[in-house]
Amino acid sequence: MSGNMFMHAECRRSVGETVRLLKASLSEKNIPLFAEFDHKLNAEGVGMDMPGATVLVFGNPAVGTRLMLKAPSLARQEAWSSLTLCEPEEKEIEE
């Protein structure tokens, strides 16, 4: 794989609601969710505050395993997909 691809899209829903909808969609499609990082919650755990920010890591083990068997270094990140969901500084969101 030759580098990362980033795409930016705006959403009118909150991070929490978007995460809920995406997790439901992944589940309906039988796509495993490997990890969820709630940066806002982690910040609160150390007495800090920040806008909502969550990372979802998901993928297809059948595809990823085949790729990693050919090139083990892909295990670092290229064999899985992730989404980073962040609240904008100026909130114009629907719950």
Side-chain angles (χ1 to χ4, degrees):
M1 311 251 161
S2 60
N4 295 319
M5 184 178 95
F6 294 95
M7 186 172 77
H8 174 84
E10 292 187 24
C11 181
R12 291 194 174 125
R13 291 184 169 83
S14 68
V15 168
E17 178 65 6
T18 304
V19 166
R20 187 188 69 73
L21 292 169
L22 287 169
K23 287 169 67 174
S25 181
L26 290 170
S27 178
E28 288 171 10
K29 293 172 175 47
N30 293 316
I31 299 172
L33 178 65
F34 299 127
E36 177 178 346
F37 305 101
D38 184 335
H39 295 302
K40 180 175 177 56
L41 182 64
N42 292 335
E44 290 169 357
V46 294
M48 299 175 75
D49 191 33
M50 66 176 288
T54 300
V55 176
L56 299 179
V57 180
F58 57 95
N60 181 327
V63 173
T65 302
R66 286 187 188 106
L67 291 170
M68 290 182 285
L69 286 170
K70 297 281 185 190
S73 65
L74 292 177
R76 288 179 307 208
Q77 68 182 11
E78 289 89 349
W80 43 263
S81 300
S82 68
L83 290 172
T84 302
L85 305 146
C86 301
E87 286 183 1
E89 289 183 28
E90 299 170 12
K91 294 184 182 182
E92 294 181 21
I93 55 178
E94 300 170 8
E95 285 292 331

